[in-house]
Amino acid sequence: MAIVGKKFPDLNVDAMNEMGDTFKINVLEEAKNNNKKVLLFWYPKDFTFVCPTELHAFQEALAEFEKRNTIVIGASCDTPEVHFAWLNTSKDNGGIEGVTYPILADSNRNLSSTLGILDISNEMYNEETGVVTVEGDNVTYRATYLIDEEGTVFHEGINHMPVGRNVGEFLRLIDAYTHVQKNGEVCPANWEEGKEAMNANRDGVASYLSSH
């Protein structure tokens, strides 16, 4: 269920920071109340393999996101306590020590279920016991959401578990959307900051294609 062009779900979720503080984050309110864009990225599990490479990559690019008035938030279905243990594990041991942005702990899966990004299939209901069983790990795929200052989603994407993300692409998407917001132009394929955009009309596309 795509939510591009819609408001991000209005839900409070537990989160953990590098100081060991557990608190609530509402992603929609983070965007609207701070007048900032938000990049929310989900990963399957703490203490795994591709996941720490992504968390460190987002940390390394954190200053670039901040330059673009963008808040970075990580998320998984692990508990706050597991997040804190991972935050206290060194990089040399597969940990994420040094990550400073908050990490959602959606252990009740309220938000990830609403977004429809859980790795589950073949839900089966046992009428005798009333128990629902599923196939899959019931953890999230590598889903990413870009949310504007009004709380509207302007990008969402989902990778399967083995495929890590390209952090630079999200910086490009933020640049492109910001250009649209500021200039009213649209950004063609492979657009990057500093390149020519175009007017969203017949003459605009004709002019752009004739010179590229």
Side-chain angles (χ1 to χ4, degrees):
M1 180 182 67
I3 61 170
V4 168
K6 301 175 183 176
K7 297 294 185 185
F8 193 81
D10 185 6
L11 289 173
N12 296 318
V13 183
D14 283 338
M16 172 61 67
N17 64 21
E18 82 277 15
M19 302 301 294
D21 301 317
T22 301
F23 53 99
K24 296 285 186 183
I25 286 184
N26 182 309
V27 175
L28 177 66
E29 291 180 357
E30 286 293 305
K32 294 173 66 176
N33 293 347
N34 294 295
N35 194 34
K36 292 179 181 287
K37 293 180 175 68
V38 175
L39 181 148
L40 171 66
F41 74 96
W42 295 81
Y43 60 92
K45 298 177 184 178
D46 292 1
F47 291 99
T48 51
F49 317 113
V50 176
C51 296
T53 70
E54 292 192 311
L55 274 83
H56 285 298
F58 280 108
Q59 179 66 36
E60 289 166 9
L62 192 59
E64 291 299 318
F65 286 106
E66 290 172 348
K67 285 181 189 176
R68 292 161 171 81
N69 197 41
T70 301
I71 299 167
V72 174
I73 302 173
S76 81
C77 295
D78 293 281
T79 64
E81 293 80 11
V82 175
H83 284 341
F84 190 53
W86 205 25
L87 283 161
N88 279 284
T89 302
S90 70
K91 193 174 182 179
D92 291 346
N93 287 317
I96 58 168
E97 186 177 29
V99 167
T100 60
Y101 50 81
I103 305 174
L104 298 186
D106 188 38
S107 54
N108 58 17
R109 290 162 172 75
N110 284 343
L111 182 53
S112 50
S113 293
T114 299
L115 295 170
I117 56 173
L118 289 166
D119 170 30
I120 57 174
S121 61
N122 295 331
E123 292 189 38
M124 295 165 286
Y125 176 70
N126 187 314
E127 292 184 359
E128 292 183 4
T129 63
V131 173
V132 177
T133 58
V134 300
E135 292 182 5
D137 289 337
N138 203 22
V139 297
T140 65
Y141 292 107
R142 298 187 193 283
T144 314
Y145 297 87
L146 292 176
I147 302 147
D148 72 14
E149 296 86 348
E150 299 298 321
T152 300
V153 177
F154 66 92
H155 167 83
E156 66 177 314
I158 302 177
N159 290 10
H160 207 342
M161 311 298 189
V163 182
R165 283 161 280 213
N166 182 335
V167 172
E169 171 63 2
F170 301 113
L171 293 170
R172 188 194 74 83
L173 288 167
I174 292 168
D175 286 342
Y177 194 76
T178 302
H179 183 92
V180 172
Q181 289 175 310
K182 289 182 177 179
N183 300 288
E185 296 179 310
V186 294
C187 297
N190 300 321
W191 184 91
E192 294 176 343
E193 183 64 44
K195 289 187 175 182
E196 181 184 357
M198 63 186 190
N199 293 320
N201 54 44
R202 187 184 185 94
D203 290 341
V205 68
S207 174
Y208 181 85
L209 291 175
S210 67
S211 60
H212 290 82

